[in-house]
């Protein structure tokens, strides 16, 4: 009976997953680290155990149980997502700051122009004082348009000039002439054909529309960019990324080499895999940033933004002055088209009366001050420089995260390579989903892009097109084509099948070879021990 008992004892000793022979190292350091992360110490073993149960970390002597591995894997994802959101919030803050700065500048410019109405137009006498609401409504419409209201700026400006023509014609008519609403409506319709205000309405309309369309599109571009950053920064990381992050960040602790920092190239591959979809924003992101810089530069192109806005009152004065100077000719043409008014004493005011109504102001007296131009230059310079700094954000994000998650891993020979403390040999992958087909760290299906991010790519494209049209003074509404999003990378794999090989290109240190050799020796020794009792039984039976 003693031999069977001895046999059972030997079998149990060889099969037990307890502490590895000669490696009864304490788990006190890992316990301190693990509890410092907010977990309970009850899950941490007292000494190292064999690591056959590990699913994410390399198997071998470890102080991590399966539950601990799961805890730390979830923590690695939570921390990384937190850093992504933090970086996103910082970028959103920059966009919001640019929006506040430009909006304040433009609003002040608009308000200063509106406040100058009385000074510029007061020489017109009752034509200004009795029609101040007409001028105020023009500025209200411009302000609402800038704020995003669905106004047709071309129609609103045409309506303003038509109403102004009515009021000017009526003010110039003799007091004993009665002009009906229908007659004044007929007069207003002569705005386009007879051009009673000269070239001012057409010239002013082109410049004002271009200024307000570009300003409105620019602030929309800033807001859309911030919103894209917010939405993309909230996209959850994949389960494949969670395993890769665990292996990168916390497996060194489970393997007892916590002092080894992740190799920089290793971290780069993990992050490029985890942020592959985000990096696909880069082409359209750069296109949008470049277009916004181009729009910002257009603000200082002659006629500059401040010149256009500040000159609105004086251009109105010039137009009215021109009509009053030529009222005889215009009145005669109106009579030919609209007929004679129904009341006696129809004729237009005499030239002397017109001269009394007009003042002596000219547009040259109302150019912006040099300080206004300097402020615009500073505004454009600040906008452009800050936008350029954001241009590479989506392809620099992975390296920026490595700098925070895995600092100090520049030592190429003594860094954590995912298996042990040694050199990391695989090449660093490119940016974007299509370039991850052979990423050795994160397994991705490049034919299945993240749809939330694809929708944001479409929003960037729509906003870029809007800004490009704004440069020509065109306010174009684009239909959201998010339902026509095609997966980036489709067609790159023959028959829809993509190779998923993960080349084993790691360098193993002598320490790792020694661990594997010790394990092989232990297995061979146990085999000999099992064979010995069997041999003895056979000899006794003889």
């Amino acid at each position: 009976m003693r031999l069977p008992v001895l046999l059972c004892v030997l079998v149990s000793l060889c099969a037990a997953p307890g502490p590895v022979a000669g490696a009864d190292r304490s788990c006190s350091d890992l316990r301190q680290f693990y509890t410092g992360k907010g977990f309970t110490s009850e899950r941490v073993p007292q000494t190292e155990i064999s690591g056959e149960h590990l699913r994410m970390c390399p198997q071998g002597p470890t102080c991590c149980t399966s539950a601990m591995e799961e805890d730390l894997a979830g923590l690695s994802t939570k921390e990384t997502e937190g850093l992504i959101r933090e970086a996103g919030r910082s970028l959103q803050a920059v966009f919001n700051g640019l929006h506040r700065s430009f909006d304040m500048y433009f609003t002040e410019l608009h308000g200063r122009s509106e406040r100058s109405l009385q000074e510029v137009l007061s020489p017109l006498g009752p034509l200004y004082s009795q029609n101040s609401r007409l001028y105020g409504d023009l500025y209200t419409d411009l302000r609402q348009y800038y704020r995003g209201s669905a106004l047709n700026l071309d129609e609103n400006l045409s309506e303003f000039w038509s109403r102004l023509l009515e009021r000017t014609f009526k003010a110039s008519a003799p007091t004993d002439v009665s002009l009906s609403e229908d007659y004044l409506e007929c007069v207003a319709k002569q705005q386009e054909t007879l051009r009673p205000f000269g070239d001012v309405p057409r010239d002013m309309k082109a410049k004002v529309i271009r200024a307000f369309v570009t300003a409105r599109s620019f602030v929309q571009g800033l807001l859309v960019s911030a919103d894209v950053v917010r939405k993309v920064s909230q996209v959850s990381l994949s389960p494949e990324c969670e395993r890769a992050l665990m292996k990168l960040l916390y497996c060194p602790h489970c393997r007892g080499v916590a002092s080894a920092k992740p190799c920089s190239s290793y971290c780069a591959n993990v992050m490029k895999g985890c942020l592959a979809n985000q990096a696909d924003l880069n082409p359209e992101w750069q296109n949008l940033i470049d277009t916004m810089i181009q729009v910002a530069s257009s603000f200082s192109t002659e006629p500059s933004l401040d010149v256009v806005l500040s000159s609105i009152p004086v251009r109105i004065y010039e137009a009215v002055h021109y009509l009053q100077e030529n009222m005889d000719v215009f009145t005669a043409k109106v009579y030919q088209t609209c007929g004679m008014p129904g009341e006696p004493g129809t004729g237009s005011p005499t030239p002397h009366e017109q001269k009394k109504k007009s003042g002596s102001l000219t547009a040259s007296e109302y150019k912006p001050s040099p300080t206004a131009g300097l402020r615009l230059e500073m505004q454009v310079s600040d906008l452009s420089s800050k936008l350029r700094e954001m241009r590479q954000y989506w392809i620099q994000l992975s390296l920026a995260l490595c700098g925070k998650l895995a600092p100090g891993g520049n030592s190429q020979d003594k860094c954590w390579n995912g298996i042990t403390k040694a050199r990391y040999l695989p090449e660093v992958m490119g940016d974007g989903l299509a370039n991850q087909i052979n990423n050795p760290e994160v397994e991705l299906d490049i034919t299945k892009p993240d749809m939330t991010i694809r929708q944001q790519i479409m929003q960037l494209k729509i906003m870029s097109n809007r800004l490009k049209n704004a440069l020509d003074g065109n306010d174009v509404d684009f239909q959201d084509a998010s339902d026509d999003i095609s997966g980036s990378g489709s067609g790159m794999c023959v028959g829809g099948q993509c190779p998923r090989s993960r080349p084993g290109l790691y360098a193993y240190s002598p320490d790792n070879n020694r661990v594997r050799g010790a394990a092989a020796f232990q297995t061979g020794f146990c085999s000999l021990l099992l064979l010995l009792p069997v041999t003895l039984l056979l000899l006794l039976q003889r």
Side-chain angles (χ1 to χ4, degrees):
M1 291 296 291
R2 290 181 179 178
L3 282 173
V5 173
L6 179 60
L7 180 60
C8 291
V9 171
L10 290 170
V11 169
S12 63
L13 286 173
C14 291
V20 179
D24 292 342
R25 287 189 293 178
S26 171
C27 293
S28 58
D29 289 343
L30 183 58
R31 180 179 293 104
Q32 184 178 358
F33 169 79
Y34 186 71
T35 54
K37 292 293 183 179
F39 301 111
T40 177
S41 62
E42 296 174 356
R43 291 185 172 182
V44 185
Q46 293 298 319
T47 57
E48 282 188 339
I49 56 176
S50 61
E52 288 86 351
H53 57 279
L54 297 177
R55 295 189 304 107
M56 290 171 261
C57 295
Q59 294 185 350
T62 182
C63 283
C64 287
T65 63
S66 295
M68 292 172 63
E69 190 181 35
E70 291 290 338
D71 289 341
L72 292 173
L75 179 64
S76 66
T77 302
K78 182 179 178 181
E79 290 177 338
T80 305
E81 290 178 340
L83 288 176
I84 294 172
R85 286 192 294 270
E86 180 185 342
R89 283 192 293 268
S90 297
L91 189 58
Q92 289 177 67
V94 175
F95 276 115
N96 292 335
L98 290 178
H99 176 266
R100 283 192 301 272
S101 175
F102 179 80
D103 182 66
M104 183 181 298
Y105 168 77
F106 189 84
T107 302
E108 288 179 2
L109 207 60
H110 183 276
R112 191 159 53 246
S113 177
E114 185 175 12
R115 288 191 296 274
S116 70
L117 275 171
Q118 183 174 1
E119 179 185 357
V120 176
L121 299 183
S122 58
L124 297 178
L127 188 57
Y128 168 71
S129 60
Q130 295 176 9
N131 299 291
S132 58
R133 183 172 179 178
L134 174 66
Y135 306 112
D137 286 346
L138 171 63
Y139 276 86
T140 298
D141 288 344
L142 292 175
R143 184 183 297 106
Q144 289 179 348
Y145 175 83
Y146 168 72
R147 293 295 181 200
S149 178
L151 294 174
N152 187 314
L153 215 48
D154 190 292
E155 291 181 0
N156 280 63
L157 286 168
S158 295
E159 179 69 15
F160 166 76
W161 289 112
S162 295
R163 299 284 78 81
L164 183 60
L165 178 58
E166 287 182 15
R167 311 291 173 84
T168 308
F169 185 83
K170 187 176 181 179
S172 300
T175 56
D176 59 342
V177 173
S178 177
L179 300 174
S180 66
E181 289 297 325
D182 290 341
Y183 193 85
L184 289 174
E185 191 69 28
C186 180
V187 173
K189 291 179 180 178
Q190 311 313 308
Q191 158 63 23
E192 290 296 329
T193 55
L194 300 181
R195 297 172 65 187
F197 295 117
D199 293 329
V200 172
R202 185 176 301 177
D203 180 65
M204 175 180 152
K205 181 188 289 186
K207 292 174 180 175
V208 167
I209 287 178
R210 182 176 176 273
F212 275 82
V213 168
T214 51
R216 174 163 113 155
S217 298
F218 184 74
V219 295
Q220 287 176 344
L222 293 174
L223 294 175
V224 166
S225 300
D227 193 54
V228 167
V229 173
R230 179 183 64 81
K231 290 178 179 177
V232 173
S233 298
Q234 291 175 350
V235 172
S236 300
L237 298 175
S238 66
E240 292 79 13
C241 179
E242 180 178 13
R243 288 190 287 270
L245 287 171
M246 171 61 191
K247 189 176 177 183
L248 172 77
L249 300 174
Y250 293 129
C251 284
H253 294 271
C254 290
R255 289 304 310 273
V257 287
S259 61
K261 302 298 181 182
C263 302
S264 57
S265 297
Y266 171 38
C267 183
N269 272 343
V270 172
M271 289 305 168
K272 285 177 183 288
C274 288
L275 301 175
N277 282 283
Q278 286 85 338
D280 278 344
L281 286 159
N282 184 61
E284 286 302 330
W285 177 264
Q286 289 193 4
N287 185 30
L288 177 59
I289 294 295
D290 290 342
T291 308
M292 282 200 289
I293 292 173
Q294 191 177 356
V295 171
S297 299
S298 74
F299 294 146
S300 57
T301 303
E302 293 298 332
S304 62
L305 190 64
D306 55 344
V307 169
V308 172
L309 266 70
S310 62
S311 65
I312 290 176
V314 77
R315 298 310 304 276
I316 295 173
Y317 179 86
E318 285 179 340
V320 174
H321 185 74
Y322 178 88
L323 175 58
Q324 290 178 335
E325 288 283 330
N326 299 279
M327 186 62 77
D328 284 337
V329 176
F330 176 68
T331 300
K333 291 180 179 179
V334 167
Y335 289 169
Q336 292 177 2
T337 304
C338 301
M340 299 290 289
E343 298 293 331
T346 60
S348 61
T350 64
H352 175 70
E353 290 174 323
Q354 294 174 33
K355 290 294 181 180
K356 280 172 59 180
K357 293 176 183 292
S358 64
S360 58
L361 300 177
T362 61
S364 61
E365 294 180 45
Y366 283 90
K367 286 184 178 179
S369 66
T371 55
L374 180 61
R375 186 180 176 191
L376 177 59
E377 285 185 19
M378 293 175 61
Q379 187 77 26
V380 171
S381 176
D382 184 58
L383 289 169
S384 300
S385 63
K386 283 187 169 63
L387 286 170
R388 287 191 185 95
E389 292 174 2
M390 309 176 197
R391 196 172 179 273
Q392 304 286 331
Y393 176 78
W394 295 110
I395 57 176
Q396 290 177 343
L397 182 58
S398 58
L399 298 180
L401 290 177
C402 281
K404 291 188 175 183
L405 287 169
N410 296 322
S411 176
Q412 296 300 315
D413 295 318
K414 295 182 180 180
C415 53
W416 172 253
N417 66 6
I419 298 294
T420 188
K421 190 176 179 180
R423 179 180 290 270
Y424 181 80
L425 295 183
E427 64 176 334
V428 177
M429 299 293 102
D431 297 297
L433 190 60
N435 287 317
Q436 307 310 309
I437 190 169
N438 290 318
N439 191 320
E441 308 306 335
V442 186
E443 187 172 351
L444 294 170
D445 185 350
I446 67 170
T447 65
K448 295 180 179 179
D450 184 280
M451 297 311 295
T452 298
I453 292 178
R454 298 296 137 171
Q455 289 170 355
Q456 298 313 305
I457 291 174
M458 184 57 64
Q459 293 304 314
L460 295 174
K461 185 177 295 185
I462 291 172
M463 194 64 242
S464 295
N465 289 333
R466 184 186 296 277
L467 284 163
K468 288 174 183 176
N469 277 274
L471 286 168
D472 299 324
N474 300 322
D475 187 10
V476 181
D477 286 324
F478 295 93
Q479 183 177 359
D480 189 348
S482 58
D483 56 341
D484 189 33
I485 301 170
S486 57
S488 174
S490 58
M492 295 190 179
C493 309
V494 179
Q497 299 296 318
C498 300
R500 297 192 180 187
S501 58
R502 294 292 178 269
L505 301 178
Y506 298 98
Y508 292 94
S509 69
D511 291 340
N512 198 55
N513 290 330
R514 193 157 54 243
V515 170
R516 291 193 297 174
F521 172 77
Q522 183 183 16
T523 302
F525 179 70
C526 286
S527 300
L528 288 174
L529 288 175
L530 289 173
L531 287 173
L532 181 59
V534 174
T535 305
L536 289 173
L537 283 172
L538 291 173
L539 291 173
L540 289 173
Q541 287 178 354
R542 290 182 182 180

